[in-house]
Amino acid sequence: MNATNPSAVEPSLVSIKSACALTSLSRTMINRYRAEGRFPSAVPLGDRRVAFVKSEVAEWIAARIAARGANDNSKQEVAA
């Protein structure tokens, strides 16, 4: 285990509230995307509590940013 950076070895979890803040999505949209399979799966913590693997949420955000770049290029080519 790396004592200086434990998150590099161990995955960290974020609450749905934190996932909302990270993604700028509402709780409702995150739950809708989860139901559609368009958002990382939740980790159950208890009867009514879930969390998300922070690195998976970060990857989801990166994929959305990358998709935006691909879509932006398409729109610029059409406009030109």
Side-chain angles (χ1 to χ4, degrees):
M1 185 162 130
N2 186 347
T4 59
N5 191 0
S7 64
V9 176
E10 298 175 15
S12 61
L13 298 175
V14 294
S15 67
I16 192 162
K17 184 175 181 179
S18 295
C20 290
L22 289 169
T23 62
S24 298
L25 293 174
S26 68
R27 180 184 300 254
T28 301
M29 283 306 296
I30 286 179
N31 286 328
R32 183 176 297 156
Y33 282 0
R34 286 176 51 209
E36 296 171 354
R38 297 171 54 193
F39 197 78
S41 298
V43 177
L45 299 177
D47 290 341
R48 297 178 48 117
R49 181 92 172 156
V50 298
F52 300 91
V53 179
K54 188 174 184 179
S55 61
E56 292 176 1
V57 174
E59 289 171 11
W60 183 87
I61 293 168
R64 298 292 293 218
I65 292 169
R68 178 204 60 183
N71 291 337
D72 283 349
N73 290 338
S74 300
K75 289 178 184 176
Q76 289 174 355
E77 291 173 9
V78 172

